Amino acid sequence: MQPVSTLPWSTINSMAAAATADAASAQEDTQSVTKGVNPWLIAAAVMLATFMEVLDTAIASVALPYIAGSLSASNDEATWVLTSYLVANAIILPASNWFSLRFGRKRFLMSCVSIFTAASFACGAAPTLALMLVARVIQGAGGGALQPLSQAILLESFPPRKRGVAMAVFAFGVVVAPVLGPTLGGWLTDTYSWRYAFYINIPVGALALYMINRYIQDPPYIKNAKVPAFDNIGFGTLIVWTGCLQIILDKGQEVDWFGALWVRWAFLAMVIAFIWFCYQSWFKKDPLVDLRVLKDRNFLLGSILIFMFGIGIYSTVTVLPLFYQELLGYTAFTAGLVVAPRGLGAICGMPVIGYLSNKVDPRYLLTFGFLTFGLTTLYFGSITLQVSPTTLFLPILITGFGLSFVFVPISTAAYGTLKNEQIGNASGLFNLMRNVGGSIGISIATTLLTRRAAVHQSEITNYVPRSGQQFQNSLHNTTQALTGAYGPANAAHPAQATLYQQLGQQASSWAYVDVFRWLSLLCFFCVIIVWFFKKVKPGKPPAGAH
């Protein structure tokens, strides 16, 4: 390519005119979506709904023991409150693009918010577990489309040079809400009732409905879209494989995974339905979910990375509060407060990433984000039972800051080479990959905690045998300490129980160390994948947007 100084003036003028025309065309494309409305008002409208939906998942998980007690159910039965929601959520996520084209995106979005809000009231007022599960399925169906619709609207409402800022706003809802959820849920449950964890959605949903109705309009390509016939086979196979996957992940550890006959049958049904779904979505002319978008290398790599990111972020968000609650005896609210700095770090990182995303290659930002996340997670792998509430304050804060440098650049790189018309379908698939990654991550993490604790307990007892001098000294000292409470004849059994409890705590703490260290390796592996992205020019509009 010739230096600019040696190019003829006519060429320079034509290049400048083309660049100006591209910018004007992109601006006109954005104006056709916003209809002159300030894009920040549109961002506030859609993020209210998304933040509410993501927050609700985390809030409900904290309130499960209280729900079980109030509705006369066991803890195992109460976990269906989460499972039923996630299954319905996962089914609607990738299908949201067809529904938005068929019924209009604004109308469909308002319907989803209305359904989610009404179902939230039904969840809070449910007198029995059966009615609660029905309400949660409806709530999950209403909430499933909120994330992809919000992301697509944000991408189209902001001009290309500000799309990094738009994704920073979206990341605020997706990354910060799961962190704030346990804290808010614990406070509402302890102070009022678990029912208020659902009732809180009602005023937020009403405000979101008002703002969506006032500020959001459908773009021309949705208004004029020729909607294909509904893909019954694609939707049916989607229901089967996502439903089976979610139920297996949620209940597998309780029934020893493939040791249970029903898990083996569910796995077989999932594999058949998944293969059929992929075939239908790849070769059918107008499928419900168009998997051909994965031909785009950047979107394929972005989907893989967001899947791994889902494993990392959801595992960490789940495991760290569990460590504080199960091993250190913190309440749900206190554990939520201890991990809350991650949300503060993410909030601090949003303006920074919103500014840098328009100026720096996304690959450099992703490398920084994954390295930061990996190093802080590796630091978590040095925790002991003697940590104070403030020991991990700075690493947790830095983790939140690093997460900001992951979610936004992934979206920028993944969507940067797609056409505007592909974003709706791609967004549903992209968010599904993150949610499935999160479900798999939580399931793997909880399984590893149980199984690695058993491994470490066995290893510790091998190194400290009951006949060894070290164990006998500890038993003697503990027996002497408990003699005053139980008497000389009865102190031996409580002393042995005390030592066994300490053994279990030490083994569990090492299991948490293992999980954190393996998550850090996952983050470092993601750094390698990042550099297979094609370079996307910062601030570049999607392909075909002009």
Side-chain angles (χ1 to χ4, degrees):
M1 184 176 180
Q2 300 180 60
V4 174
S5 58
T6 63
L7 291 173
W9 277 108
S10 59
T11 304
I12 295 176
N13 287 335
S14 64
M15 290 170 62
T20 304
D22 281 354
S25 178
Q27 185 69 25
E28 182 181 348
D29 190 63
T30 302
Q31 288 293 328
S32 68
V33 177
T34 62
K35 304 295 184 182
V37 176
N38 188 320
W40 287 108
L41 290 174
I42 296 175
V46 297
M47 285 317 301
L48 268 176
T50 300
F51 190 82
M52 171 182 68
E53 189 269 329
V54 178
L55 187 72
D56 193 75
T57 306
I59 285 179
S61 63
V62 174
L64 273 186
Y66 300 89
I67 294 173
S70 178
L71 301 181
S72 301
S74 67
N75 284 335
D76 287 346
E77 291 172 335
T79 57
W80 285 103
V81 172
L82 294 180
T83 305
S84 58
Y85 177 88
L86 292 172
V87 168
N89 202 274
I91 291 169
I92 297 298
L93 256 173
S96 58
N97 185 58
W98 187 90
F99 287 108
S100 64
L101 291 174
R102 174 64 181 83
F103 301 106
R105 190 164 61 188
K106 177 180 177 178
R107 186 183 296 117
F108 180 53
L109 180 58
M110 292 184 67
S111 299
C112 289
V113 175
S114 300
I115 292 170
F116 185 87
T117 306
S120 296
F121 173 79
C123 289
T128 64
L129 182 64
L131 290 176
M132 163 69 85
L133 295 180
V134 171
R136 284 290 281 176
V137 169
I138 297 172
Q139 189 187 36
L146 296 181
Q147 292 183 45
L149 289 179
S150 299
Q151 190 172 33
I153 290 171
L154 281 172
L155 283 168
E156 294 174 5
S157 299
F158 282 79
R161 59 189 176 84
K162 291 186 177 179
R163 283 191 171 132
V165 179
M167 283 300 93
V169 174
F170 185 75
F172 174 82
V174 174
V175 175
V176 177
V179 179
L180 298 182
T183 308
L184 180 59
W187 179 76
L188 285 171
T189 302
D190 292 342
T191 308
Y192 300 102
S193 165
W194 63 266
R195 298 182 185 276
Y196 284 88
F198 297 102
Y199 289 151
I200 194 174
N201 293 330
I202 297 172
V204 179
L207 179 59
L209 273 175
Y210 169 78
M211 295 186 70
I212 291 169
N213 183 55
R214 183 175 178 85
Y215 299 120
I216 292 180
Q217 301 294 331
D218 286 339
Y221 81 87
I222 285 184
K223 288 181 178 179
N224 305 325
K226 294 181 179 178
V227 185
F230 189 71
D231 183 6
N232 296 310
I233 295 177
F235 191 62
T237 52
L238 174 66
I239 291 174
V240 173
W241 80 260
T242 53
C244 289
L245 174 65
Q246 194 63 58
I247 292 171
I248 291 171
L249 291 175
D250 284 0
K251 299 294 180 180
Q253 174 58 26
E254 298 175 13
V255 296
D256 194 29
W257 294 102
F258 291 103
L261 180 62
W262 73 263
V263 172
R264 296 199 290 270
W265 280 108
F267 182 78
L268 177 63
M270 183 197 74
V271 171
I272 294 173
F274 180 73
I275 294 173
W276 196 351
F277 170 80
C278 292
Y279 179 84
Q280 182 82 359
S281 301
W282 191 273
F283 293 104
K284 192 176 186 295
K285 182 180 179 182
D286 295 306
L288 181 69
V289 181
D290 189 358
L291 292 184
R292 289 183 289 267
V293 72
L294 294 173
K295 289 180 179 180
D296 184 276
R297 189 174 88 182
N298 271 23
F299 184 74
L300 175 62
L301 291 173
S303 298
I304 294 171
L305 277 178
I306 202 67
F307 174 81
M308 294 183 176
F309 175 70
I311 293 176
I313 179 62
Y314 282 98
S315 299
T316 309
V317 166
T318 302
V319 166
L320 199 55
L322 275 179
F323 173 79
Y324 282 106
Q325 291 179 71
E326 293 189 354
L327 295 187
L328 303 185
Y330 288 28
T331 65
F333 176 58
T334 310
L337 284 179
V338 172
V339 300
R342 184 184 289 114
L344 296 177
I347 292 171
C348 294
M350 294 308 169
V352 178
I353 190 63
Y355 173 78
L356 291 178
S357 59
N358 298 320
K359 303 179 180 298
V360 181
D361 189 332
R363 294 175 297 181
Y364 291 106
L365 299 176
L366 278 170
T367 301
F368 173 80
F370 276 119
L371 281 177
T372 302
F373 191 23
L375 290 173
T376 51
T377 308
L378 186 62
Y379 184 84
F380 293 152
S382 62
I383 54 175
T384 66
L385 296 177
Q386 283 72 47
V387 296
S388 72
T390 58
T391 301
L392 299 180
F393 175 84
L394 191 58
I396 292 174
L397 187 72
I398 295 172
T399 300
F401 186 82
L403 289 177
S404 306
F405 284 77
V406 174
F407 188 85
V408 178
I410 283 182
S411 302
T412 303
Y415 293 115
T417 52
L418 297 178
K419 299 178 181 178
N420 254 4
E421 292 76 9
Q422 294 177 298
I423 288 180
N425 174 70
S427 181
L429 193 57
F430 190 75
N431 283 279
L432 176 68
M433 293 295 289
R434 190 189 72 247
N435 281 20
V436 170
S439 297
I440 292 176
I442 292 171
S443 182
I444 291 175
T446 52
T447 300
L448 286 175
L449 287 178
T450 302
R451 305 208 168 188
R452 293 300 297 174
V455 170
H456 285 294
Q457 182 170 320
S458 177
E459 290 178 349
I460 292 172
T461 53
N462 288 337
Y463 284 105
V464 188
R466 292 187 56 145
S467 58
Q469 188 64 41
Q470 185 178 4
F471 176 78
Q472 292 299 324
N473 289 340
S474 297
L475 180 61
H476 175 74
N477 293 335
T478 308
T479 303
Q480 290 293 327
L482 297 176
T483 297
Y486 294 95
N490 300 319
H493 289 299
Q496 291 175 348
T498 301
L499 289 180
Y500 183 75
Q501 182 183 26
Q502 293 176 358
L503 169 65
Q505 288 180 329
Q506 292 294 335
S508 295
S509 69
W510 276 106
Y512 281 95
V513 168
D514 288 343
V515 170
F516 284 126
R517 289 178 177 175
W518 287 338
L519 285 174
S520 68
L521 291 178
L522 177 69
C523 295
F524 296 143
F525 178 70
C526 288
V527 174
I528 300 173
I529 298 179
V530 164
W531 290 97
F532 286 94
F533 272 121
K534 291 180 182 177
K535 185 175 181 180
V536 177
K537 185 178 179 182
K540 176 186 177 297
H546 305 148

